[in-house]
Amino acid sequence: MILVLLGPPGAGKGTQAQRIQESRGLTHLSTGDMLRAAVASGSGLGGKVKGIMEAGHLVPDDVIVEMIVDRLAEHGSEGGVILDGFPRTTAQARALEKTLSQRGLKLDRVIQIAVDTDTMVQRIAGRFACEDCGAGYHDTNQPTKAAGVCDNCGGIRFLRRPDDNPKAVRARFEAYEAQTAPLLPYYRSQGLLRGVDGMRTIDDVTAEIEKALDAA
Ligand code: AMP
């Protein structure tokens, strides 16, 4: 199964992708995670995208497409893939179709996680992740069970994203509205789009996504 998760910043795409990856045995590919890894490693790609990401703007399509095509080739998409944060523009959506069709594959489902703006801002402002294993948490919605200790690996160092500040968050919403939201009618017209209510609990949203994946 080739699955795309669409939704504005803070909608819970990463959290849900992690869960669906486990339940369906899919490979989770997050362009945001790949870019953050490139920045952390100090690679040429990282140097190129660091400022763009911190400002909350979209990285140019050619950079993203090259990165994801390489990654799909590396992992082999045949076992199934869940794409989180890609595509984000119509040009990226077309590039995805092309690279899948070259492998005899096609996109099976696009899940839109819908939430309201105020909730998204609150979610983004409170989120953090374990520095060691990457497990995601939130100050109020999903705290660690023991204060300051990662539930998953016992790590005690946590990170907050540099683009989770108010100015960059605003820019990220603007980028979503202007460049990514047009993908909704695009995928709806192809019959691929299913919407889920991202305002519900994390477990409920996962259940809704599972249902949408099982429905024909
Ligand atoms: P994310 O973790 O998906 O919210 O992505 C974080 C940042 O990485 C975004 O605000 C963009 O600057 C960049 N980024 C991630 N995926 C893409 C993409 N598909 N196209 C352009 N920029 C992206």
Side-chain angles (χ1 to χ4, degrees):
M1 172 182 284
I2 312 287
L3 169 67
V4 163
L5 287 189
L6 270 184
K13 298 186 296 293
T15 303
Q16 295 299 334
Q18 232 167 341
R19 294 174 149 225
I20 304 297
Q21 163 190 39
E22 282 164 26
S23 68
R24 303 263 162 174
L26 304 173
T27 302
H28 173 196
L29 297 180
S30 154
T31 43
D33 285 351
M34 291 175 204
L35 293 168
R36 279 184 287 280
V39 171
S41 76
S43 69
L45 170 65
K48 201 149 118 185
V49 302
K50 186 171 187 281
I52 300 174
M53 291 175 73
E54 282 176 3
H57 301 307
L58 290 190
V59 169
D61 287 334
D62 56 338
V63 175
I64 293 289
V65 168
E66 187 183 337
M67 184 178 78
I68 197 89
V69 166
D70 284 355
R71 199 58 72 95
L72 284 169
E74 204 178 293
H75 281 277
S77 20
E78 290 73 14
V81 174
I82 178 162
L83 293 163
D84 157 15
F86 175 86
R88 258 176 157 100
T89 65
T90 311
Q92 292 179 19
R94 296 221 167 89
L96 174 64
E97 268 153 39
K98 187 168 158 213
T99 188
L100 289 177
S101 81
Q102 281 165 352
R103 293 158 186 278
L105 297 167
K106 61 171 186 42
L107 189 52
D108 295 292
R109 189 65 82 225
V110 178
I111 302 285
Q112 174 200 7
I113 306 180
V115 286
D116 78 59
T117 305
D118 290 346
T119 306
M120 289 186 278
V121 172
Q122 188 265 348
R123 279 188 186 176
I124 289 177
R127 67 188 185 180
F128 60 97
C130 173
E131 194 173 333
D132 295 324
C133 74
Y137 297 99
H138 189 279
D139 291 329
T140 48
N141 302 350
Q142 199 190 358
T144 53
K145 289 196 182 94
V149 182
C150 175
D151 299 351
N152 189 43
C153 77
I156 52 165
R157 294 174 307 160
F158 296 91
L159 289 171
R160 284 177 198 264
R161 286 171 43 162
D163 60 351
D164 279 352
N165 65 78
K167 189 162 174 238
V169 168
R170 252 195 315 277
R172 287 160 65 200
F173 283 130
E174 281 166 15
Y176 179 79
E177 284 305 325
Q179 290 163 278
T180 308
L183 290 179
L184 298 171
Y186 178 80
Y187 284 130
R188 191 175 293 119
S189 71
Q190 295 179 27
L192 294 174
L193 191 72
R194 299 288 180 276
V196 302
D197 177 6
M199 303 297 292
R200 302 174 67 192
T201 65
I202 292 173
D203 282 345
D204 285 349
V205 177
T206 306
E208 256 201 80
I209 294 174
E210 294 281 5
K211 222 164 74 188
L213 296 182
D214 287 333

